[in-house]
Amino acid sequence: MQEFPEPKIEERRILTPTISDFPIKWNKSRDNAFEALKIICSNMELDPNDIKVDFYDNGLKDINMGTSVIFIESDPENPEAAGLYHHEKIDGKYSISLDDALLESPDRLIATIAHELSHVKLLGEKKLEQNDEMLTDFTTVFFGLGIFNANCSFQFYNQTDRWSYSNLGYLKIDEWAYALALFAFIRHEDEPHWKQFLSKTVKSDFEKCLKYMIDNEEDIFKFDDENQ
């Protein structure tokens, strides 16, 4: 709130997975990524013309179990593999790279772009000297993209002959829920309309966190003198 004071946190727009917020005809094309980039840049106070985007093929990883196949969409040891932020500018532009596989999933595409642009806000705009991935995840909440990143933090898929999961980001589900609840609490939203777009698991934890904050408001920002 101190580093990005305008607009005030109460006035920041929350983007949701709706046609009104993302009026894009999704067809799994790279054009979709550029369209989403423009919308997200607007919410994050960035000029899309200052962002260079390229794509790479990270691919699915299969594990053959004999009678069935487990397929993993991202490397558990490197959950940011879906996107990359390049610390050095290219031709005077901030540069990010996106996995082509993201084009199959609008939610994951939006979440990944939001994360990489949060690097731009923190590192590119010199708010941080060293990278902090958890703070970068949290920054997506501050700029109104937290619904996408929280929902995509862990997804499980079950089919008749196989199962799979995908990770995205660095915060755990309960940490996303707390971050979103704190965001709503600071905005004085006791019953935010946007919570309907949270996944079932995130929403449950979110409601518990927000209720605790409302019931214990005097303790949320209580610091001892040494930490003030």
Side-chain angles (χ1 to χ4, degrees):
M1 292 170 65
Q2 292 173 336
E3 295 293 345
F4 304 105
E6 297 295 336
K8 295 180 179 180
I9 193 168
E10 297 89 349
E11 299 170 358
R12 290 188 175 274
R13 180 185 177 195
I14 312 300
L15 294 180
T16 61
T18 59
I19 193 67
S20 58
D21 285 343
F22 286 90
I24 297 173
K25 186 177 181 180
W26 298 101
N27 56 13
K28 303 179 182 180
S29 70
R30 292 182 176 181
D31 285 342
N32 286 165
F34 291 111
E35 291 174 280
L37 177 78
K38 291 179 181 179
I39 295 170
I40 298 168
C41 277
S42 176
N43 230 53
M44 298 183 72
E45 300 148 35
L46 290 167
D47 184 346
N49 294 316
D50 291 337
I51 311 296
K52 180 182 183 298
V53 181
D54 57 28
F55 298 84
Y56 63 95
D57 182 10
N58 195 34
L60 290 172
K61 301 173 179 62
D62 290 359
I63 303 175
N64 194 329
M65 302 296 289
T67 58
S68 62
V69 175
I70 300 172
F71 53 94
I72 304 171
E73 291 188 10
S74 62
D75 183 351
E77 300 301 322
N78 183 15
E80 198 194 4
L84 299 168
Y85 166 72
H86 303 277
H87 294 268
E88 299 296 329
K89 284 187 174 182
I90 298 177
D91 297 328
K93 295 185 177 183
Y94 302 111
S95 181
I96 65 173
S97 298
L98 302 173
D99 186 350
D100 265 322
L102 292 168
L103 302 176
E104 300 284 334
S105 172
D107 285 355
R108 288 173 60 82
L109 175 64
I110 291 168
T112 302
I113 293 174
H115 181 91
E116 303 313 324
L117 293 185
S118 291
H119 280 305
V120 173
K121 298 299 294 185
L122 296 175
L123 295 172
E125 296 186 2
K126 310 298 183 184
K127 303 298 184 181
L128 288 181
E129 292 184 4
Q130 295 184 339
N131 187 33
D132 184 328
E133 290 293 355
M134 296 184 76
L135 181 60
T136 304
D137 266 352
F138 191 88
T139 301
T140 67
V141 176
F142 184 80
F143 282 99
L145 277 299
I147 291 171
F148 296 92
N149 293 73
N151 287 349
C152 293
S153 61
F154 182 85
Q155 294 177 317
F156 181 82
Y157 311 92
N158 190 17
Q159 299 177 14
T160 56
D161 62 341
R162 63 183 62 191
W163 62 266
S164 70
Y165 71 91
S166 62
N167 292 327
L168 193 70
Y170 291 80
L171 297 180
K172 299 176 182 177
I173 290 179
D174 56 347
E175 293 169 331
W176 279 111
Y178 185 89
L180 286 162
L182 185 62
F183 183 64
F185 179 77
I186 295 173
R187 287 163 56 93
H188 308 291
E189 294 180 294
D190 292 355
E191 194 69 26
H193 72 91
W194 46 264
K195 76 173 185 179
Q196 65 182 296
F197 298 103
L198 296 174
S199 68
K200 184 176 180 180
T201 304
V202 177
K203 183 180 177 182
S204 176
D205 287 347
F206 166 85
E207 290 176 333
K208 293 175 185 176
C209 290
L210 185 56
K211 183 179 186 304
Y212 176 85
M213 292 176 186
I214 293 171
D215 292 345
N216 300 273
E217 185 171 353
E218 70 280 1
D219 293 326
I220 301 303
F221 294 108
K222 181 185 289 184
F223 303 99
D224 57 45
D225 291 338
E226 294 180 0
N227 293 328
Q228 285 186 354

